[in-house]
Amino acid sequence: MKRITREIAAGERTRGIVMYGRGRHFSSGADLDDLIGGLKGDRSGLSAGDSILLDNLSSFRFFEELPVPVIAAIRGVCLGSGLELALFCHARICGSGAVLGLPETGFGLIPGCGGILNLAARTGRGRTLETVLAGSSFGAEDALAMNIVDAVVPRKDVVAAAVRLIGKIHAHGEYDRGRIRGYIGRYL
């Protein structure tokens, strides 16, 4: 992730970034064995788990602050830190049938990479507390209704829709992150 953030994403010729998972899913989140093992480590300083969370948060914020469109193309499963990453993207295009959620409480953890704050900004505090504390997952259409994703398209079209959106934004001039929903409504 660090190589992408430093060398590729910050390049002058970058028109936008489409984030998607290799294969059928966006992401099932962090490796729980590594994370839990790190969190149980030495409490005198930063543990491996703390370091993982801080590194991820730093990378996620980098993408959020880019001056080009950063679109999460979500298909399949998008859970835990995978959803937290998607929430830092400027927009989220979701494939029908996708499953999203922050299941960390089921493992005795809480979302540690900004997921709670980003979710609350989109769904409100009450809905966020309900979702996070229950560790529940939800489908693409529910995510759209909860304002977590910006569009739902057929699963096979997710990445192509994100690429097309970036191309149309670029073709029509300067990018304004605050107007991403308008771009989606106009170009998707």
Side-chain angles (χ1 to χ4, degrees), residues 1-74:
M1 179 79 98
K2 287 182 183 180
R3 179 180 173 270
I4 292 171
T5 58
R6 290 194 181 114
E7 296 174 20
I8 298 170
E12 291 179 22
R13 296 181 353 172
T14 302
R15 294 180 178 186
I17 294 173
V18 176
M19 286 197 196
Y20 62 96
R22 181 184 296 167
R24 299 180 351 209
H25 303 289
F26 185 81
S27 174
S28 60
D31 182 308
L32 287 176
D33 290 336
D34 288 348
L35 184 59
I36 291 172
L39 291 172
K40 291 180 180 177
D42 177 18
R43 300 312 301 165
S44 62
L46 284 180
S47 69
D50 294 332
S51 180
I52 290 169
L53 294 175
L54 290 173
D55 285 348
N56 283 348
L57 181 58
S58 175
S59 295
F60 295 178
R61 283 188 174 150
F62 174 87
F63 287 109
E64 179 183 47
E65 294 168 4
L66 284 174
V68 296
V70 180
I71 313 294
I74 301 169

Side-chain angles (χ1 to χ4, degrees), residues 113-161:
C113 295
I116 294 172
L117 290 174
N118 283 331
L119 196 62
R122 288 166 179 75
T123 68
R125 289 181 189 170
R127 188 70 181 256
T128 297
L129 281 172
E130 177 185 316
T131 301
V132 171
L133 292 176
S136 59
S137 58
F138 40 88
E141 288 74 17
D142 290 333
L144 181 63
M146 293 183 335
N147 203 30
I148 295 170
V149 301
D150 302 295
V152 176
V153 300
R155 177 188 171 101
K156 64 181 178 56
D157 298 333
V158 173
V159 175

